Amino acid sequence: MGQGTSAYDQSELAEFQDLTYFTKREVLHVHKRFAELSPEKVKQHGRNPTLTKEEILLLPELAANPFKERILEVFSDAGDGNMNFEQFLDMMSQLSSKAPLETKIDFAFKIYDFNEDGQICENDLQKVILFLVQPAVTGATLTSDERNQVIKNVINEMDMDDDGSISYLDFKHGMSKLNGFEESFKVTL
């Protein structure tokens, strides 16, 4: 990319590079992808407009993820899924293959902690199961007893301090032992 066509100057790119897991070139590529989601809005409002959740959900890399809307809510400052470029860049950086396991664990915990109380409780796990099973999409169903048994099993397996919920430390310990966890929280641009 030539200097005259860049949306950001070198010092801004250097700052983005310092704050993410991306190179300057990758930052520009992420911005290009951001702009492609709503070209008119970017043309009208400059390089950092706020895109709606619906516009960001047009990103093909998110299409198959059952947690796509929740992911956007977690990375959106307002919690509504709408994002400016810096929030979008942060999300894409943490979903990149370059992000370390601990970053992905932190991000996953926030996604699964629906009530945002710092614990993954039975109600949070009920929602996780519904997101994963999605009967309307997959055709799969679980009875209430089956869901409750899955929840009980997950809590029994991960709740190291036996308080009936999964703390961040419980979750971190469990996810660090899980093969393939990192791959399930990755987007390739």
Side-chain angles (χ1 to χ4, degrees), residues 136-151:
V137 176
T138 65
T141 59
L142 290 176
T143 66
S144 179
D145 287 343
E146 290 170 327
R147 279 194 313 272
N148 289 334
Q149 187 60 51
V150 169
I151 290 167

Side-chain angles (χ1 to χ4, degrees), residues 56-96:
I56 297 167
L57 286 172
L58 296 173
L59 191 69
E61 291 83 355
L62 291 175
N65 191 314
F67 294 97
K68 58 187 167 243
E69 290 188 28
R70 180 71 181 141
I71 290 168
L72 299 185
E73 292 165 4
V74 166
F75 282 100
S76 163
D77 286 351
D80 57 6
N82 300 334
M83 292 183 196
N84 64 24
F85 174 66
E86 291 177 13
Q87 294 161 7
F88 183 82
L89 180 64
D90 183 40
M91 176 184 73
M92 298 308 287
S93 175
Q94 291 190 43
L95 285 172
S96 78

Side-chain angles (χ1 to χ4, degrees), residues 24-86:
K24 292 175 186 177
R25 183 182 187 117
E26 289 167 330
V27 168
L28 290 172
H29 180 70
V30 172
H31 187 268
K32 178 182 175 198
R33 296 298 306 278
F34 178 79
E36 288 170 351
L37 295 172
S38 185
E40 280 303 310
K41 195 175 274 185
V42 172
K43 184 187 278 187
Q44 194 173 36
H45 298 286
R47 64 187 184 190
N48 196 24
T50 297
L51 301 187
T52 65
K53 178 185 348 184
E54 293 72 26
E55 290 167 325
I56 297 167
L57 286 172
L58 296 173
L59 191 69
E61 291 83 355
L62 291 175
N65 191 314
F67 294 97
K68 58 187 167 243
E69 290 188 28
R70 180 71 181 141
I71 290 168
L72 299 185
E73 292 165 4
V74 166
F75 282 100
S76 163
D77 286 351
D80 57 6
N82 300 334
M83 292 183 196
N84 64 24
F85 174 66
E86 291 177 13

Side-chain angles (χ1 to χ4, degrees), residues 158-178:
M158 295 186 74
D159 181 17
M160 296 187 308
D161 57 5
D162 293 324
D163 67 353
S165 63
I166 301 167
S167 69
Y168 176 75
L169 290 176
D170 295 337
F171 186 78
K172 181 179 174 182
H173 178 75
M175 291 300 106
S176 64
K177 297 187 310 183
L178 188 64

